[in-house]
C-alpha cells in the first residue's frame, strides 16, 4: 500500500542477542542523500509486524525519513533469552560449551528493552543513508517512557515523540513499604528462591507477556525528564485508562517548559489509549508527529 517506500530486512545485535528488524526509506531518495532517521519503540510487548501493518512505520518513511522497526528480544522474530538449567560445563580450548538452556519468550523487561533500543539507535547511526545529526526517537505506550529515558541518556537523539506514554516519576520516597517489597523480590531472585526470569503471565488489562515486576517497578523514566534537552512532542488520550496523564506526559511537559526545552503537549479529546492506532485518531496523530 506504500509504493513510494522501500524496505529491507536487517539484523541487529544487542549485547549478543540477535534482533530482527526492518529498515524503511523513501524510494525517491537521491544517490548519496543523507536523510533524517526515526527509531520506533513499541509498547509493552508490541512487535514490528504491528508497526508495519498499522501503517505507522511506512507513513513515516513515505514522509521522507529512514525508519527502523524491530522486535525486542524474546518477542516476535527476535531470538530468545536463554537461561542455562543445571551446571555450566567448563569451556573447551576454543571457549565453547554445550548446555541445556531454556528459551524464554515474551517477558516485558525494561532493562533489556533499553539495550535493544540502544542497538537500534546504533544501527541507524551507522547507516550510510542517515544524517547522524538528525536521529529522532518515537515511542508509544510503555515505549513512550522508553524514549524519555533514552533522550535523557543518549546524545545521539535529536528529537522525541511520545504518544500515550507511561513515564512515571520516582515513587520510592513516597512508598517505602512498597519499595521494601520490591527489594525482597530482587533478593529472592538473586538467591535462587524464585525463577531467575519471571514467567507465566500476569500482564495487566489482558496484555500479552510476563512483566519483570521488580525491574518495571524501578524503571521510572519520568524522573529523568529534567535531563532532556531536545525538542519533544507529547500526545495523550483524554480517556486514558492505564494511568493518570497529568502525572505522566503532563508532568514531563511542565518540566520541559520550565527548563526552556521546545515542547508541545496535545490531549486528544474523547478517545482512549488504543484509539491512536487506527482510523481518524491515527490520521490525526500521524499528522502531528510527521
Amino acid at each position: 500500500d506504500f509504493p513510494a517506500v522501500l524496505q529491507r530486512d536487517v539484523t541487529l545485535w544487542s549485547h549478543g542477542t540477535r534482533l530482527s528488524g526492518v529498515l524503511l526509506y523513501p524510494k525517491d531518495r537521491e544517490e548519496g542523500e543523507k536523510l533524517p532517521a526515526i527509531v520506533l519503540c513499541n509498547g509493552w510487548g508490541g512487535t514490528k509486524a504491528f508497526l508495519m501493518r498499522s501503517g505507522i512505520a511506512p507513513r513515516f518513511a513515505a514522509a521522507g525519513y529512514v525508519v527502523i522497526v524491530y522486535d525486542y528480544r524474546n518477542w516476535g522474530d527476535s531470538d530468545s533469552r536463554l537461561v542455562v538449567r543445571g551446571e555450566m560445563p567448563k569451556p573447551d580450548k576454543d571457549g565453547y560449551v554445550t548446555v541445556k538452556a531454556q528459551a524464554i519468550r515474551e517477558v516485558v523487561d525494561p532493562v533489556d528493552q533499553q539495550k535493544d533500543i540502544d542497538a537500534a539507535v546504533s544501527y541507524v547511526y551507522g547507516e550510510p543513508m542517515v544524517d547522524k545529526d538528525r536521529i529522532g526517537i518515537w515511542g508509544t505506550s510503555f515505549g513512550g517512557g522508553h524514549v524519555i529515558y533514552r533522550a535523557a541518556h543518549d546524545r545521539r537523539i535529536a528529537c522525541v515523540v511520545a504518544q500515550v506514554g507511561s513515564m512515571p516519576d520516582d515513587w520510592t520516597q513516597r512508598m517505602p513499604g512498597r519499595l521494601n517489597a520490591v527489594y525482597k523480590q530482587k533478593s529472592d531472585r538473586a538467591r535462587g528462591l524464585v525463577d531467575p526470569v519471571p514467567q507465566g503471565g500476569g500482564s495487566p488489562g489482558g496484555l500479552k507477556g510476563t512483566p519483570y515486576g521488580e525491574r518495571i517497578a524501578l524503571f521510572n523514566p519520568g524522573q529523568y525528564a529534567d535531563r532532556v534537552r531536545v525538542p519533544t512532542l507529547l500526545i495523550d488520550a483524554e480517556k486514558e485508562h492505564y494511568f493518570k496523564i497529568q502525572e505522566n506526559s503532563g508532568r514531563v511537559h511542565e518540566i520541559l517548559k520550565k527548563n526552556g526545552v521546545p515542547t508541545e503537549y496535545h490531549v486528544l479529546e474523547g478517545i482512549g489509549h488504543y484509539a491512536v492506532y487506527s482510523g481518524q485518531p491515527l490520521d490525526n496523530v500521524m499528522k502531528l508527529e510527521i
Side-chain angles (χ1 to χ4, degrees):
D1 295 333
F2 293 87
V5 173
L6 299 177
Q7 67 182 68
R8 71 170 189 260
D9 294 337
V10 296
T11 295
L12 300 76
W13 289 97
S14 177
H15 291 255
T17 299
R18 183 198 65 86
L19 307 182
S20 174
V22 177
L23 198 73
L24 303 92
Y25 51 96
K27 189 175 183 179
D28 62 359
R29 171 185 170 268
E30 297 181 4
E31 184 69 26
E33 183 183 6
K34 300 285 187 179
L35 299 177
I38 304 175
V39 177
L40 300 187
C41 302
N42 242 314
W44 203 250
T47 62
K48 68 180 188 299
F50 169 75
L51 294 177
M52 297 289 285
R53 186 175 62 250
S54 64
I56 293 171
R59 285 199 205 192
F60 279 127
Y65 297 94
V66 175
V67 178
I68 190 167
V69 294
Y70 50 93
D71 291 327
Y72 294 126
R73 68 184 68 195
N74 74 66
W75 288 88
D77 297 323
S78 290
D79 283 354
S80 302
R81 178 173 180 173
L82 298 179
V83 174
V84 176
R85 300 298 188 179
E87 293 293 325
M88 176 79 75
K90 292 183 178 180
D92 64 18
K93 60 182 179 63
D94 297 316
Y96 289 94
V97 296
T98 299
V99 298
K100 184 176 182 179
Q102 181 182 10
I104 304 296
R105 301 295 298 173
E106 298 188 347
V107 172
V108 182
D109 181 346
V111 176
D112 278 353
Q113 288 179 351
Q114 274 293 330
K115 294 177 183 177
D116 299 344
I117 293 168
D118 179 73
V121 175
S122 298
Y123 190 97
V124 297
Y125 187 84
E127 175 58 42
M129 73 176 82
V130 167
D131 181 345
K132 292 180 173 63
D133 294 325
R134 292 191 293 165
I135 298 176
I137 193 165
W138 173 98
T140 188
S141 193
F142 197 62
H146 274 309
V147 298
I148 296 299
Y149 182 93
R150 192 83 243 150
H153 293 84
D154 194 330
R155 294 184 182 180
R156 296 170 296 181
I157 303 303
C159 65
V160 178
V161 172
Q163 61 174 40
V164 293
S166 169
M167 47 191 80
D169 69 344
D170 185 0
W171 54 268
T172 57
Q173 299 295 325
R174 304 190 304 272
M175 303 177 185
R178 182 183 170 197
L179 181 60
N180 288 336
V182 171
Y183 286 157
K184 172 64 165 56
Q185 193 173 19
K186 286 170 65 68
S187 177
D188 288 347
R189 205 171 300 283
R191 297 173 66 85
L193 302 178
V194 296
D195 199 285
V197 179
Q199 300 169 77
S203 289
L207 294 171
K208 290 180 63 178
T210 302
Y212 202 133
E214 58 265 43
R215 287 189 172 181
I216 292 174
L218 295 175
F219 178 69
N220 299 295
Q223 68 179 299
Y224 302 105
D226 61 349
R227 299 187 189 181
V228 176
R229 293 292 182 266
V230 297
T232 300
L233 171 65
L234 302 159
I235 299 173
D236 268 331
E238 181 187 27
K239 296 186 177 180
E240 176 63 58
H241 65 280
Y242 282 120
F243 46 80
K244 295 180 179 179
I245 61 175
Q246 298 85 356
E247 297 175 3
N248 288 264
S249 289
R251 174 184 167 275
V252 168
H253 176 62
E254 292 302 319
I255 292 173
L256 296 178
K257 279 201 308 180
K258 181 180 179 181
N259 290 343
V261 177
T263 179
E264 288 185 18
Y265 180 41
H266 299 266
V267 178
L268 304 183
E269 296 181 357
I271 67 168
H273 185 88
Y274 292 105
V276 297
Y277 300 121
S278 62
Q280 189 61 52
L282 173 60
D283 292 341
N284 296 340
V285 165
M286 292 299 297
K287 184 177 179 180
L288 286 170
E289 295 173 349
I290 289 172

